[in-house]
Amino acid sequence: MRVLAAMSGGVDSAVAAARALDAGHDVTGVHLALASGAPDHSGRSRGCCTPEDARDARRAADVLGIPFYVWDLAERFRADVVQDFLDEYAAGHTPNPCLRCNEKIKFAAVLDKALALGFDAVCTGHYARILDGPDGPELHRAVDVDKDQSYVLGVLDARQVAAALFPLGADRKADVRAEAARRGLAVADKPDSTDICFVSDGDTAGFLRARLGDAPGEVVDERGEVVGTHSGAYAFTVGQRRGLHIGRPAADGRPRYVLEVSPVQRRVVVGPAEALDVSELSGVRPRWPGPVPAAPFRCSAQVRAHGEAVPATAYPQGDRLVVRLDAPLRGVAPGQAVVLYDSTRVLGSATISASAPAAGSTTGASRTG
């Protein structure tokens, strides 16, 4: 096949491109210029898509002997990922920009352009597997559970899965680094990038404050009593414990957690940990990497990239999805994704819009976005 290898400048995408070449494919490398940032030579994790990353990707392509290009998608990235990130936080949601980047950039803008140029597939260094199934290609978890990235790929549809290659899905990261060293790739020991590539210093609250401004308000307990103040509700997320700036402890002395974020009212509600338990999720914009399962169907539901997957029953309802959990999940926020699995297979996903508290929770109201 003619394969376009998306090369971030890191070790995973470089080895993925090398393996696509070993498999006999006609491989071309491309680096996506998405976000600017100063190179960090400290050895710590950092953002990706910097000029240094582009140079690292080009050097890897040179070692492999494949053509290499840089595609400037910064404007599309700002509109579809960065602005979405800001809008979601401003609305009191907790977005995952990696999912949005996979959905809107790597497997939409890049894949569409690749297919238009005559390529058959896009290859990336994600840790996930695509296996043949009775209804076509299926998206599955990686063998290495600690590195599995199927959650952030849960937004792909069937067409995108059919045109994707993930050569690293059966490997462990240490083995990939060792292979990179054997191949003479200089990125073999390069640190992994941070989760939010456009917040390279890791200060998400500062990034949001600089762009959304101060919006002071009150921190209240579940009874509505004011227990503190804040400079912007967007700096809080459901389930957060640290950095609440509460003036006095709870009456029972137990820690408080963020239960609800209301930017319009500029209010943050805090309470006990058990109030975070939810038993039902509602989602919007469902995505299916294969045929839509007949409703209702049994599955496992996961709401964080490396979170616990709990048994559940899902009810697809057109452009909505309802998921009823066998056991409560804690700290679920609007804006997160719920990804559904059948063992290792990804069945579908949706963006969480509301949740219902578990029986016995100290709060009786649903959390909505």
Side-chain angles (χ1 to χ4, degrees):
M1 295 190 297
R2 289 193 66 206
V3 172
L4 185 72
M7 303 180 70
S8 67
V11 62
D12 295 327
S13 59
V15 172
R19 290 188 178 182
L21 192 65
D22 290 348
H25 300 307
D26 179 5
V27 180
T28 296
V30 63
H31 178 78
L32 309 180
L34 303 178
S36 61
D40 179 357
H41 302 283
S42 65
R44 297 187 300 267
S45 294
R46 60 192 178 99
C48 64
C49 313
T50 67
E52 183 188 21
D53 293 311
R55 291 190 292 272
D56 287 344
R58 184 179 295 278
R59 285 193 287 266
D62 288 343
V63 170
L64 299 178
I66 60 175
F68 178 82
Y69 300 91
V70 174
W71 287 359
D72 186 354
L73 294 176
E75 184 174 346
R76 177 80 179 262
F77 183 79
R78 282 192 296 269
D80 288 346
V81 179
V82 180
Q83 190 58 50
D84 175 81
F85 181 81
L86 295 171
D87 291 344
E88 287 290 283
Y89 264 105
H93 300 169
T94 303
N96 187 316
C98 294
L99 275 91
R100 202 62 61 231
C101 184
N102 286 330
E103 177 186 1
K104 298 290 188 179
I105 304 298
K106 293 175 183 174
F107 295 96
V110 172
L111 178 58
D112 289 346
K113 186 173 181 179
L115 295 176
L117 291 172
F119 289 94
D120 301 301
V122 168
C123 168
T124 74
H126 285 99
Y127 285 80
R129 293 177 294 160
I130 296 177
L131 305 179
D132 291 332
D135 298 312
E138 298 176 347
L139 178 62
H140 284 254
R141 291 189 188 276
V143 171
D144 187 344
V145 176
D146 292 334
K147 293 300 295 182
D148 174 52
Q149 292 175 295
S150 62
Y151 175 86
V152 297
L153 295 167
V155 291
L156 303 189
D157 62 25
R159 180 186 72 93
Q160 293 166 334
V161 169
L165 292 178
F166 303 131
L168 307 187
D171 294 88
R172 300 188 180 279
K173 184 60 175 270
D175 297 329
V176 171
R177 288 195 182 278
E179 180 178 335
R182 290 195 302 271
R183 291 179 180 272
L185 297 169
V187 293
D189 296 321
K190 185 175 180 179
D192 290 339
S193 62
T194 57
D195 285 343
I196 305 178
C197 65
F198 51 88
V199 186
S200 58
D201 63 358
D203 184 10
T204 302
F207 178 87
L208 293 169
R209 187 177 300 109
R211 288 153 181 83
L212 300 178
D214 287 334
E218 296 176 337
V219 179
V220 303
D221 63 20
E222 63 271 32
R223 296 180 298 276
E225 182 179 348
V226 177
V227 294
T229 60
H230 64 77
S231 59
Y234 52 73
F236 299 84
T237 187
V238 172
Q240 178 179 337
R241 176 184 174 185
R242 300 186 183 279
L244 302 186
H245 306 297
I246 295 175
R248 60 180 185 276
D252 58 8
R254 294 193 299 165
R256 289 184 171 113
Y257 298 80
V258 174
L259 306 182
E260 183 180 345
V261 179
S262 302
V264 175
Q265 291 82 18
R266 298 187 177 185
R267 184 184 63 194
V268 175
V269 181
V270 298
E274 60 267 22
L276 292 167
D277 290 343
V278 300
S279 59
E280 182 175 302
L281 309 173
S282 295
V284 295
R285 301 190 302 278
R287 303 274 292 184
W288 307 101
V292 180
F297 63 90
R298 293 290 294 169
C299 60
S300 295
Q302 184 172 326
V303 299
R304 294 178 183 83
H306 296 287
E308 176 188 10
V310 302
T313 302
Y315 302 82
Q317 300 173 355
D319 61 353
R320 294 183 65 251
L321 177 69
V322 174
V323 181
R324 292 177 183 159
L325 308 170
D326 290 8
L329 281 172
R330 179 163 288 184
V332 179
Q336 289 176 267
V338 55
V339 177
L340 309 179
Y341 292 85
D342 177 11
S343 184
T344 63
R345 180 188 174 190
V346 178
L347 298 176
S349 70
T351 300
I352 297 170
S353 57
S355 61
S361 171
T362 58
T363 63
S366 297
R367 287 187 281 275
T368 60

